[in-house]
Amino acid sequence: MKVKVIGIPVHDQEKALKFYTEKLGFLKKIDIPLSEGNRWLTVVSKDEQDGAEILLEPSPNHFEPAKVYQKALFDAGIPYTQFNSEDVQQEYDRLSNLGVEFSMKPTEMGTVKIAVFNDTCGNNIQIVQML
């Protein structure tokens, strides 16, 4: 088996697309209109365009348990998912300069360095660097 698509719940797909492409640097991969104004909307890492896709999923808008779960994670400061980085400090500096808000600055924890930011779409996202 392989990981092909992983979903991240978002409040607004268009806002999420803008954040994930313009701030984080991902590339739009698939954008297929669905019912009720929703889309099958995925982005990929510019460094692994044939790698796993992130589905920017509007589930919190249509499924109350997903909304409750997402909010509970966010309010507790727990990251919804994590992305790897070769250099967390460099990524932190780059994203901070673009106005991305971090709840945790780069912090060494044993064999990793991590930072956590708000994706503006209802999620905390962690970036991690193996030391």
Side-chain angles (χ1 to χ4, degrees):
M1 284 190 269
K2 293 181 183 179
V3 175
K4 179 64 179 162
V5 178
I6 185 163
I8 294 180
V10 298
H11 298 151
D12 179 314
Q13 286 184 301
E14 192 58 39
K15 181 178 178 182
L17 178 61
K18 187 173 181 172
F19 181 85
Y20 278 77
T21 57
E22 294 178 11
K23 303 280 184 176
L24 300 185
F26 287 97
L27 302 174
K28 181 168 68 170
K29 176 98 177 197
I30 298 174
D31 190 353
I32 300 171
L34 301 173
S35 63
E36 301 176 24
N38 297 311
R39 298 145 69 180
W40 183 267
L41 179 60
T42 68
V43 296
V44 293
S45 168
K46 66 181 175 186
D47 299 325
E48 290 186 8
Q49 295 180 33
D50 292 324
E53 298 173 41
I54 298 169
L55 173 63
L56 302 175
E57 188 170 3
S59 61
N61 300 331
H62 308 288
F63 188 57
E64 189 64 23
K67 184 178 186 176
V68 170
Y69 177 68
Q70 182 188 31
K71 184 175 180 342
L73 284 177
F74 187 83
D75 290 347
I78 298 171
Y80 189 86
T81 195
Q82 78 176 29
F83 302 139
N84 286 2
S85 173
E86 294 294 320
D87 187 331
V88 166
Q89 184 65 52
Q90 181 180 4
E91 211 47 52
Y92 169 83
D93 293 341
R94 182 183 77 80
L95 293 173
S96 292
N97 288 334
L98 291 172
V100 174
E101 294 181 19
F102 281 79
S103 59
M104 177 186 283
K105 294 180 179 183
T107 304
E108 287 191 25
M109 296 185 157
T111 60
V112 297
K113 183 185 284 188
I114 65 171
V116 178
F117 65 86
N118 177 346
D119 78 351
T120 73
C121 305
N123 305 293
N124 292 304
I125 305 292
Q126 179 172 285
I127 51 177
V128 63
Q129 170 188 349
M130 302 305 290
L131 299 175

